Amino acid sequence: MAKTKTAPADTVVAYLRVSTDEQAESGAGLMAQRTTIEAEADRRGWIIVAWKEDKGASGKSLGGRPALAEALELVESHQATTLVVAKLDRLSRSLVDFAGVMDRARAKRWNLIALDLGIDLTTPAGEFLASVMASAAQWERRIIGQRTREGLAAKKAAGVRLGRPVALPDEVRSRIRDEASNGASLAAIARGLNAGAVPTAQGGKKWYPSTVKAVLSSQDV
């Protein structure tokens, strides 16, 4: 059975990111991150095997960042033992995304270090802090899910039919067009539709003058 390749001890991949084209062009943000990592590498005796830079890349998600993908490939293929960033938000501004990277590090046995917060999965303090942040990420996911469910419930209670919008029947379109042609106001047309419990194109229960106007303005009418 082939042995899994093991990276030499104290080898790191340094990842840098700036979020705007201006920062990327000026180099100030990248230089500050590089200086911080180099100082820590000198202090701790790290061997930096690669510098990976994403210039002008958003930190809202992990996607669309080729340099980060390359950095992760290096540690996961055991060409280095550690991925290091000067600040956690250089890796991600999302707790959920950070928790995902941390899970990958644990599963594939490489280390993750964020110098600004003291996150280091090889130390008790760093492991504790990372666990706290993972719990916060789980809370964030649950809150987002709860808000989504509450929003859908509110729409349902308001009579909005969820899912794919429902097309307005031709007879309703014709009724609106004919009443408008005969001089009925938008408000009067809306009152008549509401009195007849005619659903809107989106499945709602309430017609408004603006809803009637939208139908009249539609190219399909």
Side-chain angles (χ1 to χ4, degrees), residues 128-175:
F128 172 75
L129 181 56
S131 297
V132 170
M133 297 189 73
S135 296
Q138 183 180 13
W139 175 85
E140 183 179 52
R141 283 192 295 266
R142 294 183 64 182
I143 287 296
I144 291 172
Q146 179 179 330
R147 288 174 178 169
T148 300
R149 291 191 297 271
E150 290 174 349
L152 293 174
K155 288 183 178 181
K156 186 175 181 180
V160 176
R161 184 175 298 175
L162 303 178
R164 188 174 181 177
V166 178
L168 196 63
D170 290 340
E171 58 269 23
V172 177
R173 294 177 183 273
S174 296
R175 171 180 171 175

Side-chain angles (χ1 to χ4, degrees), residues 174-190:
S174 296
R175 171 180 171 175
I176 292 173
R177 181 182 58 210
D178 291 345
E179 291 184 8
S181 298
N182 290 328
S185 67
L186 298 177
I189 296 173

Side-chain angles (χ1 to χ4, degrees), residues 20-146:
T20 68
D21 291 335
E22 289 181 357
Q23 287 177 303
E25 291 171 3
S26 70
L30 293 174
M31 182 59 69
Q33 294 171 57
R34 181 181 286 265
T35 299
T36 298
I37 293 173
E38 286 178 338
E40 190 67 10
D42 289 342
R43 188 181 74 82
R44 296 173 63 168
W46 290 341
I47 301 169
I48 301 176
V49 301
W51 293 88
K52 296 296 180 180
E53 302 178 359
D54 276 317
K55 300 178 181 180
S58 171
K60 293 182 179 180
S61 69
L62 301 179
R65 288 197 261 164
L68 177 58
E70 292 170 2
L72 291 171
E73 172 62 25
L74 286 173
V75 289
E76 293 186 351
S77 62
H78 305 289
Q79 297 180 57
T81 61
T82 301
L83 174 64
V84 59
V85 292
K87 295 183 176 182
L88 181 60
D89 66 2
R90 299 302 85 193
L91 178 63
S92 177
R93 294 184 183 277
S94 164
L95 282 175
V96 173
D97 283 344
F98 166 70
V101 174
M102 187 174 61
D103 287 343
R104 287 177 63 171
R106 287 168 168 161
K108 299 190 177 183
R109 300 182 181 279
W110 49 272
N111 190 23
L112 175 63
I113 294 178
L115 297 178
D116 62 331
L117 297 181
I119 293 175
D120 182 340
L121 299 183
T122 65
T123 67
E127 175 75 10
F128 172 75
L129 181 56
S131 297
V132 170
M133 297 189 73
S135 296
Q138 183 180 13
W139 175 85
E140 183 179 52
R141 283 192 295 266
R142 294 183 64 182
I143 287 296
I144 291 172
Q146 179 179 330

